[in-house]
Amino acid sequence: EPEVTQTPSHQVTQMGQEVILRCVPISNHLYFYWYRQILGQKVEFLVSFYNNEISEKSEIFDDQFSVERPDGSNFTLKIRSTKLEDSAMYFCASTGQGKNTEAFFGQGTRLTVV
Amino acid sequence: AQSVAQPEDQVKVAEGNPLTVKCTYSVSGNPYLFWYVQYPNRGLQFLLKYITGDNLVKGSYGFEAEFNKSQTSFHLKKPSALVSDSALYFCAVSPGDTGRRALTFGSGTRLQVQP
């Protein structure tokens, strides 16, 4: 069964450092997403990406965040200058063409900012 | 703005008994509704969805959910719970009438099935 893969599974970084979280979406999917889940809280939407541009973003997705599809398979989330409150589980997801298709999620990257 | 409420932080049932995990939503227009399950240290796994049509939808692992438009609810059910169903369950909604696809999640309900 096809799956979304994320690396690394756990990342520890110093406050103020840049981090890049990586995702390989399902190969024939066209829409890509990042969500985050702060410990003990709900899953929150960050950004969606289609046709090499951002299609939606939330208020959380401010100027310190950026996304990129650097090649035909990877989808990355960059946090420019990490803050303690960025500590969370970050999930990548992808969906197919139809707007009623379900999102497939990766296993997540746990980001710890110290 | 859309929202999802899962009024119970935790649901406990005995193995073999029916289970219900509650979800209500608020969205403009027609909703697309989803249930996901999260096991420890795992990602979110899709269980089922309601897009249109029959109000009772069936999904993976024997789960089903009933869409009730008048009550704006989408409760998850299973006739006979298994210990292995113990996990964190999330209800999610997206606005079906628009091109927007972002999911809004509820806060999650932890299901504990006791042997």
Side-chain angles (χ1 to χ4, degrees):
Chain A
E1 184 177 319
E3 59 180 13
V4 176
T5 57
Q6 291 184 242
T7 55
S9 56
H10 191 189
Q11 172 104 35
V12 180
T13 189
Q14 297 266 351
M15 189 170 54
Q17 295 295 305
E18 175 184 285
V19 294
I20 298 177
L21 309 183
R22 302 180 191 278
C23 168
V24 179
I26 293 173
S27 61
N28 62 348
H29 282 183
L30 300 176
Y31 291 82
F32 315 118
Y33 311 83
W34 285 101
Y35 289 81
R36 80 172 185 190
Q37 184 181 30
I38 295 172
L39 188 64
Q41 299 186 24
K42 64 173 67 176
V43 177
E44 301 172 292
F45 168 75
L46 292 178
V47 65
S48 63
F49 192 86
Y50 171 72
N51 200 25
N52 285 319
E53 61 183 23
I54 291 173
S55 51
E56 291 179 71
K57 61 180 181 179
S58 71
E59 293 176 352
I60 303 168
F61 193 86
D62 60 24
D63 291 345
Q64 70 159 345
F65 292 93
S66 61
V67 290
E68 190 179 29
R69 188 156 164 82
D71 54 43
S73 59
N74 291 284
F75 179 53
T76 62
L77 174 70
K78 182 191 291 186
I79 308 175
R80 217 176 319 277
S81 176
T82 50
K83 297 178 279 195
L84 294 176
E85 53 264 40
D86 293 327
S87 296
M89 181 73 89
Y90 288 81
F91 292 107
C92 175
S94 66
T95 60
Q97 177 69 37
K99 67 175 182 176
N100 60 0
T101 59
E102 62 272 20
F104 289 80
F105 284 79
Q107 293 192 334
T109 293
R110 180 165 299 284
L111 176 65
T112 303
V113 183
V114 297
Chain B
Q2 59 213 41
S3 64
V4 175
Q6 293 181 242
E8 302 154 317
D9 290 336
Q10 186 170 1
V11 170
K12 291 184 182 179
V13 298
E15 188 173 30
N17 283 0
L19 68 87
T20 299
V21 182
K22 295 179 180 177
C23 170
T24 58
Y25 67 89
S26 173
V27 69
S28 298
N30 293 313
Y32 289 172
L33 292 156
F34 304 84
W35 276 100
Y36 284 85
V37 60
Q38 185 179 32
Y39 295 99
N41 300 315
R42 301 291 298 276
L44 299 164
Q45 290 179 237
F46 169 75
L47 276 181
L48 51 79
K49 65 183 178 184
Y50 172 82
I51 302 299
T52 187
D54 194 350
N55 289 343
L56 184 65
V57 293
K58 295 186 183 296
S60 308
Y61 313 118
F63 284 94
E64 58 189 29
E66 186 165 13
F67 171 63
N68 187 316
K69 188 171 184 177
S70 62
Q71 297 185 2
T72 61
S73 68
F74 189 56
H75 301 330
L76 180 70
K77 300 182 179 184
K78 187 173 182 180
S80 179
L82 299 172
V83 173
S84 56
D85 292 330
S86 298
L88 188 56
Y89 289 80
F90 290 97
C91 181
V93 68
S94 66
D97 292 341
T98 71
R100 295 182 57 238
R101 292 163 170 259
L103 292 172
T104 298
F105 284 85
S107 54
T109 298
R110 188 164 299 281
L111 174 67
Q112 187 176 348
V113 182
Q114 297 163 322

